[in-house]
Amino acid sequence: MDMFMEYLWAFLVGGALCLIGQLLIDLTKLTPARILTSYVVAGVILGALGLYEPLVNLAGGGATVPLTGFGYLLSKGVREAVDQNGLLGAFMGGFTSAAVGISAAIFFGLLAALAFKSGSKINET
């Protein structure tokens, strides 16, 4: 597949996932937190069933960057850890596969907290 098609598929798949999320926000009474959680759970379920892997192979970053990609990463890590360590892998596989992303989120969240002053958005007179 040439470079243009890779970018096109990443854009289309990532855009479709974002479109679905926006439609859920606009057309339902679901809170953003529930939608985000649903995306992660959907990624876990689709990854566990083997349905997300072809999408990752087709769209690359368009499928791995959204929250469904995080769920897929968790299910893939658990599957690999269970193959290596048995039942114990079910408890540690998700953490080891997502450790870098979780660590980066914590680190950059700390940097943001140190760099910016937090405060109330309500004007106090």
Side-chain angles (χ1 to χ4, degrees), residues 38-118:
S38 299
Y39 264 47
V40 174
V41 171
V44 169
I45 292 170
L46 292 172
L49 295 174
L51 301 175
Y52 207 78
E53 183 81 27
L55 192 61
V56 169
N57 293 336
L58 175 69
T64 58
V65 172
L67 284 172
T68 50
F70 181 68
Y72 162 73
L73 177 69
L74 291 174
S75 69
K76 184 178 176 184
V78 168
R79 190 177 331 117
E80 290 172 359
V82 167
D83 290 342
Q84 291 176 357
N85 303 319
L87 182 60
L88 184 60
F91 298 106
M92 64 185 208
F95 293 114
T96 56
S97 68
V100 173
I102 293 170
S103 299
I106 292 170
F107 176 73
F108 289 116
L110 175 65
L111 282 181
L114 294 174
F116 301 101
K117 179 182 174 190
S118 65

